[in-house]
Amino acid sequence: EAEAAMAKAQELMTKHNIQMQSVEQHDSEYINTMTEGYKRESVEAKYINQLLTQYFFIRLVSSRRNGLTFLNIIGEANNVKTAVHMRQYFTNVFKALWKEYKKETGAPNGSKQSFYMGIMQGFSEKMDEQRAATCECMDMVLVNDPKVDEKVSELFPKLRSAGRRTINLNDSQANAAGHRQGRNLNTNSGAIGA
């Protein structure tokens, strides 16, 4: 049932965004929601942020103020609400899955990156399959919403792209275990607008 609920949630979100694209002058509201400030990004955050930008139709921009970093979640209002909800969900799940894996296997903390990367990869595969099925069913191609980029440019006219950091994946066993968990991850989100 949870598997079916996740598939339905992703289908609704994809359909919602395809339908917005098909209306040339849709009047959706585009917003920026800022997260709480933090001094240092958590280990799981980089993987969660990739999932959010890849599958939840939003853009993320980091900004600094008073020695703290804030994450700006920018996009169409329904998508931002969903992304905020999913960010908290993913944070809880990633931490819980790592705690369980560490307890079962005695894996060192150095394996955490490999495990988290595996979760992200497994979940991404699952989402790609579900999105492809939805797009095929609707006979449409899903593209990025240019209005999101317009909103980002409006809010951050001097935005610079950050360089990609190299991640050292040193534990293939942890990565494979994380991958299996990612494939089994269910996201029954009640925050999805359709």
Side-chain angles (χ1 to χ4, degrees), residues 77-97:
N78 283 323
N79 292 334
V80 169
K81 289 173 188 172
T82 300
V84 168
H85 174 82
M86 293 310 303
R87 180 174 177 263
Q88 187 59 57
Y89 170 82
F90 281 133
T91 299
N92 295 339
V93 168
F94 271 56
K95 288 179 178 179
L97 290 175

Side-chain angles (χ1 to χ4, degrees), residues 97-163:
L97 290 175
W98 166 250
K99 185 177 180 181
E100 183 181 331
Y101 177 73
K102 183 177 170 66
K103 183 179 179 180
E104 288 176 358
T105 65
N109 285 332
S111 297
K112 189 185 287 188
Q113 296 262 14
S114 299
F115 185 76
Y116 284 166
M117 173 66 88
I119 295 176
M120 184 187 75
Q121 291 167 332
F123 184 74
S124 293
E125 287 175 8
K126 186 174 194 173
M127 292 290 276
D128 286 343
E129 290 164 7
Q130 291 177 349
R131 181 172 288 182
T134 301
C135 290
E136 184 178 347
C137 178
M138 296 184 73
D139 196 26
M140 293 188 79
V141 176
L142 190 60
V143 296
N144 290 330
D145 184 350
K147 291 190 177 184
V148 178
D149 291 332
E150 289 171 16
K151 187 68 175 179
V152 171
S153 297
E154 173 193 322
L155 294 170
F156 301 97
K158 297 179 181 179
L159 182 65
R160 296 188 312 259
S161 296

Side-chain angles (χ1 to χ4, degrees), residues 52-85:
L52 293 177
T53 54
Q54 193 166 351
Y55 299 106
F56 294 90
F57 308 98
I58 51 91
R59 286 274 305 276
L60 299 175
V61 177
S62 294
S63 57
R64 287 191 60 77
R65 190 171 68 242
N66 300 328
L68 295 175
T69 299
F70 297 85
L71 193 64
N72 299 271
I73 304 175
I74 304 161
E76 190 268 334
N78 283 323
N79 292 334
V80 169
K81 289 173 188 172
T82 300
V84 168
H85 174 82

